[in-house]
Amino acid sequence: MLNIRIEATTAPKQKPDADNPLTFGTIFTDHMFIMDYVQGEGWIDPRIVPYGPLQMDPSAMVFHYGQELFEGLKAYRSEDGRILLFRPECNARRSNATCERICIPTIPEEDYVQAIEALVKLDGDWIPTKPGTSLYIRPFIIATDPFLGVRPSATYKFMVILSPVGAYYPEGLNPVKIWIEEEYVRSVRGGLGEAKAGANYVASLKAQMKAHDAGYSQVLWLDGVERRYIEEVGAMNIFFQIGGKVVTPGLNGSILPGITRRSCVELCKLWGYEVEERRIAADELFAAAVSGELTEVWGTGTAAVVSPVGHLRKGDEVVQIADGGIGGLTQRLYDTLTGIQLGKIEGPAGWVREVV
Ligand code: PLP
Ligand code: COI
């Protein structure tokens, strides 16, 4: 259990106007959580302080070799005024899995969740309540040793910041257009793909710009070796409904094991759908589109929630899905998941955690 010191701000910021849409990731709350790691001492000095710039040595290793990871989850305000988190221990566990992969010391799961809860409680007034809004929580860890050699750092900072957000895509719940990338790859098995390391997102930028320039919202990555099999989208996992079955790429080491993905798999199974987590070739997808068996495509992620995909492009081939509208299963998943997150629908045991 952490003994968190709190230094409250003396200059609270103005909260965003509830009538204006919240652009994703642009506004930050009054406070942030910080805890340091020092070799030989462990994680020390957990504290919540006013949100503001960090003073760091320019030689800090994170600036040079990118030893960094992040997580993303959300806090919601229920109609009866409770603050709810969605499966935060899954983020703590995934953060520790990423720590192991990039040689950062792990944080006990209960301490990780306690840090988030303490910060969200203090800045609870920042949780927006309009439909489609929430408080995005961004925990991250950075390597801070002032050293230019390549090795794991001996010191780190674990931090949590908060941002009131609306929809991740400007399209909202309208279907997004996705570009299947054939030139660049995001990750290969044995690399960092299944870790939530910032490095994966740097690797994605070039293709993302290419897709944006062509009028597409996001990139759909193919496997890094054969460039045949569907992996995931820039900030979401991907699902298909083919011949009535729910199909999503299996966790093969180069895909992020999304918490929304896992929750959708569990919901679809509960509802009696046959769910296949397996390799799926882009060719199979296009063939299923031609035969009429591909009926729905959607992405899943904390920021993106459940996001319908209306259009896929690979080279010169284009697939239009569900007449460009949102499919029935996609809508049911969106409604159920957001209903559970907002405390309106009772979900499976342990999915929602109240901050008290
Ligand atoms: N895949 C990538 C690359 C992501 O960045 C995200 C977002 O976190 C996801 C998938 C979805 O993961 P989750 O549902 O845990 O947010
Ligand atoms: C999230 O959904 O939490 C993510 O981390 C996506 C992010 C890259 C915006």
Side-chain angles (χ1 to χ4, degrees), residues 57-65 143-155:
D57 199 298
S59 64
M61 293 181 82
V62 65
F63 296 136
H64 304 276
Y65 309 120
T144 52
D145 269 10
F147 180 60
L148 294 186
V150 178
R151 58 146 171 81
S153 181
T155 57

Side-chain angles (χ1 to χ4, degrees), residues 30-327:
D30 283 325
H31 298 94
M32 59 188 184
F33 175 91
I34 312 183
M35 179 162 75
D36 303 306
Y37 181 87
V38 178
Q39 213 164 41
E41 295 181 54
W43 289 103
I44 56 167
D45 196 14
R47 57 204 184 272
I48 291 176
V49 296
Y51 183 94
L54 295 177
Q55 196 166 32
M56 285 180 60
D57 199 298
S59 64
M61 293 181 82
V62 65
F63 296 136
H64 304 276
Y65 309 120
Q67 198 190 6
E68 183 270 353
L69 66 87
F70 70 95
E71 272 297 327
L73 67 161
K74 284 174 171 172
Y76 310 83
R77 178 75 72 178
S78 67
E79 264 168 17
D80 57 5
R82 292 173 301 144
I83 299 176
L84 304 176
L85 300 176
F86 186 69
R87 310 184 86 172
E89 63 293 333
C90 293
N91 295 90
R93 207 167 306 143
R94 187 171 66 187
S95 178
N96 281 338
T98 304
C99 282
E100 297 280 359
R101 178 64 184 82
I102 61 174
C103 304
I104 292 178
T106 57
I107 297 173
E109 276 175 33
E110 54 280 13
D111 292 354
Y112 192 100
V113 174
Q114 188 196 341
I116 290 170
E117 288 189 329
L119 183 65
V120 167
K121 194 171 165 188
L122 186 65
D123 279 349
D125 285 351
W126 285 83
I127 304 174
T129 51
K130 270 203 154 181
T133 65
S134 55
L135 186 68
Y136 185 76
I137 304 167
R138 171 53 61 86
F140 60 103
I141 306 179
I142 53 175
T144 52
D145 269 10
F147 180 60
L148 294 186
V150 178
R151 58 146 171 81
S153 181
T155 57
Y156 298 89
K157 277 190 194 306
F158 167 51
M159 301 188 56
V160 186
I161 56 174
L162 306 174
S163 175
V165 298
Y168 184 64
Y169 298 115
E171 290 91 333
L173 243 198
N174 293 319
V176 293
K177 289 170 73 178
I178 302 265
W179 172 278
I180 302 181
E181 175 58 32
E182 295 177 281
E183 184 183 2
Y184 300 106
V185 299
R186 172 185 180 272
S187 150
V188 289
R189 238 166 296 158
L192 293 181
E194 67 181 349
K196 205 157 168 65
N200 285 324
Y201 298 79
V202 172
S204 74
L205 294 178
K206 189 83 179 165
Q208 189 180 314
M209 293 319 290
K210 199 169 111 181
H212 274 184
D213 289 348
Y216 287 74
S217 307
Q218 289 257 323
V219 168
L220 176 60
W221 297 103
L222 296 175
D223 75 278
V225 178
E226 294 181 65
R227 303 190 196 192
R228 277 184 62 200
Y229 299 100
I230 305 285
E231 298 238 302
E232 64 181 322
V233 183
M236 312 190 283
N237 294 108
I238 189 106
F239 284 78
F240 308 98
Q241 193 179 26
I242 303 176
K245 291 181 192 167
V246 173
V247 185
T248 190
L251 300 176
N252 60 359
S254 57
I255 296 173
L256 190 79
I259 294 156
T260 324
R261 172 191 182 279
R262 174 173 158 187
S263 306
C264 284
V265 165
E266 289 169 19
L267 283 177
C268 287
K269 284 185 179 166
L270 272 177
W271 295 338
Y273 284 94
E274 198 175 321
V275 181
E276 293 180 348
E277 298 180 63
R278 64 165 169 90
R279 247 173 26 162
I280 166 163
D283 287 349
E284 176 187 341
L285 206 62
F286 281 82
V290 170
S291 71
E293 283 192 302
L294 177 68
T295 46
E296 294 190 35
V297 181
W298 68 93
T300 64
T302 298
V305 196
V306 173
S307 183
V309 174
H311 176 117
L312 286 168
R313 176 180 207 104
K314 178 168 175 276
D316 293 333
E317 289 178 277
V318 170
V319 169
Q320 202 73 32
I321 302 121
D323 298 328
I326 180 167

